[in-house]
Amino acid sequence: MGGKDGKVVPEGQPSSGGDGGLIKKAAGSWSWMLINASGQEMVLDVDKYSIMHRVQIHARDLRILDPLLSYPSTILGREKAIVLNLEFLLCVHALLICNGQHIKAIITAEEILLRDPLDDKVAPIVEELRRRLKPVNADDIDNISGRESVPQHDLDTGEEDESAFEFRALEVALEAICSYLAARTIELEMAVYPALDMLTEKISSRNLDRLRKLKSQMTRLTARVHKVRDELEKLLDDDDDMDELYLSRKLVGATSSLSGSAAFLHYSPSIGSKPSRASRASVATALGDENDVGEVEMLVESYFMQIDGTLNKLTTIREYIDSTEDYINIQLDNKRNQLIQLELILSSGTLSLSIYSLVAGIFGVNIPYTWNTGYGYLFKWVVIITGIFCSVVFILIMSYARYKGLVGS
């Protein structure tokens, strides 16, 4: 199944062989998790040419999923596949080290291929796909049918899902990215508000550095949310792009409903002759109005509103940070003004004392004048009169500064 250069490893079966007990990947091969409409899954190690031939997409579309290249969040609808590249932010909160991670997947009408299935960041998506695409066997249907308290509509829901397979897989990916970004936003919000409160109470280098790191993290997170939101908005604005996502409808094409049903009712190993849920949903979708994009529009719009709410929350956090920065700047300006006032007072006092020093210097000159001897009683009057004059000069300067508003009251 993986092509001439690829290897297929069923899920749960370890790879073995060679001296080391491990099978080395072929050069240029990528690891994929394949989950089909029946819930069966396997791990594939195949090269990009095998993937291109399997899902029938061009190399430029597959290049979006290349881990060595950096592409923004993208949802591409092609003739027989949907190419997903959704970017989110991964942070080590202890060190506030952040980097971008991606959900990379290819969805067809009957299967989904997920990149790097063994990655810890992708594991929750794989588990959710297993839950959503869990096969229903005959025993489960018999158990559901045997319950007298189960209404008929619950029985129908137990047998099939109204949504086509590609929409269920797309919903899992959108839910994962939106929930992850919303969770990161809540964590950031819980870290930012206490940091801002501490900064307003005490402006210190430690608090400022902490706020700087949080603001950098918020900037990166906002950029990721913006990219996902813009991609969903672009998809909603173009009905042709949304119509490209109806893979089951395009698979049926112009055939009649009977031939389309026969084509889609493939074997089901667990239910026997009964059609699978994904097949029924695909036929129901394909037999609908060819120009109707209501289902995918409601799907994308719901997650667009969720990601838009996340973006609004980040905007609120940024506004709160900006308000706090303005408040801090006002406080710093106030402290700066107080220092300027103190400098003015000290300068005025220095000027007054310089007059006193001038008089003292004149009388302290060691020159034998006749009036310099025999008039010792004048010393105290010179000191008193000079001190009073300097004080008056200081008071006049401060009064003028207060009159002009240069110093506070």
Side-chain angles (χ1 to χ4, degrees), residues 281-321:
S282 301
V283 173
T285 303
L287 295 180
D289 187 3
E290 292 184 358
N291 297 323
D292 182 22
V293 294
E295 182 178 0
V296 68
E297 184 177 10
M298 288 188 295
L299 173 63
V300 176
E301 186 177 6
S302 62
Y303 290 102
F304 172 78
M305 295 176 63
Q306 181 177 349
I307 201 70
D308 190 59
T310 302
L311 182 60
N312 292 335
K313 184 175 293 186
L314 287 171
T315 303
T316 303
I317 297 175
R318 175 172 290 278
E319 291 176 353
Y320 191 81
I321 292 177

Side-chain angles (χ1 to χ4, degrees), residues 172-301:
V172 172
L174 292 177
E175 181 180 354
I177 188 67
C178 292
S179 301
Y180 187 89
L181 293 175
R184 299 291 79 77
T185 301
I186 293 175
E187 291 181 3
L188 180 64
E189 183 180 20
M190 295 176 62
V192 165
Y193 288 141
L196 293 177
D197 293 339
M198 292 177 60
L199 186 59
T200 53
E201 293 176 359
K202 181 181 180 181
I203 303 175
S204 62
S205 300
R206 181 179 180 181
N207 292 336
L208 287 173
D209 185 67
R210 182 183 180 188
L211 179 61
R212 179 190 61 82
K213 294 179 180 178
L214 290 173
K215 191 173 181 179
S216 299
Q217 180 183 347
M218 186 194 65
T219 301
R220 289 189 290 266
L221 181 59
T222 304
R224 267 69 177 186
V225 173
H226 256 300
K227 291 177 183 177
V228 176
R229 181 188 178 277
D230 292 343
E231 184 62 26
L232 295 180
E233 184 178 17
K234 184 178 69 174
L235 189 62
L236 286 173
D237 291 340
D238 196 333
D239 289 347
D240 293 335
D241 289 343
M242 288 189 290
D243 186 65
E244 290 291 332
L245 302 182
Y246 282 84
L247 303 179
S248 300
R249 178 190 295 173
K250 290 185 291 185
L251 188 62
V252 172
T255 59
S256 62
S257 59
L258 181 59
S259 61
S261 301
F264 276 86
L265 296 179
H266 55 279
Y267 76 96
S268 177
S270 58
I271 304 180
S273 60
K274 293 185 179 181
S276 64
R277 294 179 294 169
S279 302
R280 294 186 181 185
S282 301
V283 173
T285 303
L287 295 180
D289 187 3
E290 292 184 358
N291 297 323
D292 182 22
V293 294
E295 182 178 0
V296 68
E297 184 177 10
M298 288 188 295
L299 173 63
V300 176
E301 186 177 6

Side-chain angles (χ1 to χ4, degrees), residues 2-245:
K4 61 181 181 179
D5 295 331
K7 298 181 177 61
V8 180
V9 183
E11 179 67 13
Q13 179 178 345
S15 302
S16 61
D19 297 334
L22 297 174
I23 299 178
K24 294 184 179 179
K25 294 183 179 180
S29 65
W30 292 352
S31 179
W32 300 83
M33 166 71 76
L34 186 147
I35 303 178
N36 60 18
S38 301
Q40 299 174 347
E41 60 185 63
M42 63 183 65
V43 177
L44 305 177
D45 287 335
V46 295
D47 58 14
K48 61 181 181 180
Y49 300 105
S50 301
I51 292 294
M52 290 166 53
H53 178 72
R54 182 186 185 92
V55 300
Q56 298 185 14
I57 60 175
H58 296 290
R60 65 176 181 271
D61 298 330
L62 190 61
R63 196 174 295 118
I64 297 175
L65 307 181
D66 195 331
L68 301 179
L69 302 177
S70 177
Y71 280 90
S73 297
T74 307
I75 302 177
L76 295 179
R78 292 298 182 253
E79 184 63 27
K80 294 185 178 181
I82 301 174
V83 183
L84 286 179
N85 179 35
L86 299 177
E87 185 179 14
F88 59 93
L89 190 69
L90 178 68
C91 293
V92 181
H93 296 286
L95 300 176
L96 289 176
I97 300 175
C98 303
N99 57 357
Q101 300 292 334
H102 294 74
I103 298 176
K104 300 176 183 289
I106 301 176
I107 303 173
T108 66
E110 296 180 344
E111 64 186 17
I112 178 173
L113 293 164
L114 195 64
R115 277 291 316 275
D116 301 328
L118 302 180
D119 196 337
D120 294 337
K121 281 78 70 177
V122 184
I125 304 174
V126 175
E127 292 298 329
E128 184 65 17
L129 284 171
R130 290 170 179 168
R131 188 183 68 83
R132 296 283 185 93
L133 306 177
K134 183 178 180 181
V136 179
N137 53 39
D139 295 337
D140 294 335
I141 295 179
D142 293 339
N143 293 335
I144 296 176
S145 303
R147 299 176 189 171
E148 297 180 356
S149 60
V150 177
Q152 182 63 31
H153 67 84
D154 291 342
L155 179 60
D156 297 337
T157 304
E159 291 186 5
E160 63 180 355
D161 192 339
E162 295 297 332
S163 299
F165 172 81
E166 62 266 23
F167 295 153
R168 285 187 287 153
L170 178 62
E171 183 179 6
V172 172
L174 292 177
E175 181 180 354
I177 188 67
C178 292
S179 301
Y180 187 89
L181 293 175
R184 299 291 79 77
T185 301
I186 293 175
E187 291 181 3
L188 180 64
E189 183 180 20
M190 295 176 62
V192 165
Y193 288 141
L196 293 177
D197 293 339
M198 292 177 60
L199 186 59
T200 53
E201 293 176 359
K202 181 181 180 181
I203 303 175
S204 62
S205 300
R206 181 179 180 181
N207 292 336
L208 287 173
D209 185 67
R210 182 183 180 188
L211 179 61
R212 179 190 61 82
K213 294 179 180 178
L214 290 173
K215 191 173 181 179
S216 299
Q217 180 183 347
M218 186 194 65
T219 301
R220 289 189 290 266
L221 181 59
T222 304
R224 267 69 177 186
V225 173
H226 256 300
K227 291 177 183 177
V228 176
R229 181 188 178 277
D230 292 343
E231 184 62 26
L232 295 180
E233 184 178 17
K234 184 178 69 174
L235 189 62
L236 286 173
D237 291 340
D238 196 333
D239 289 347
D240 293 335
D241 289 343
M242 288 189 290
D243 186 65
E244 290 291 332
L245 302 182

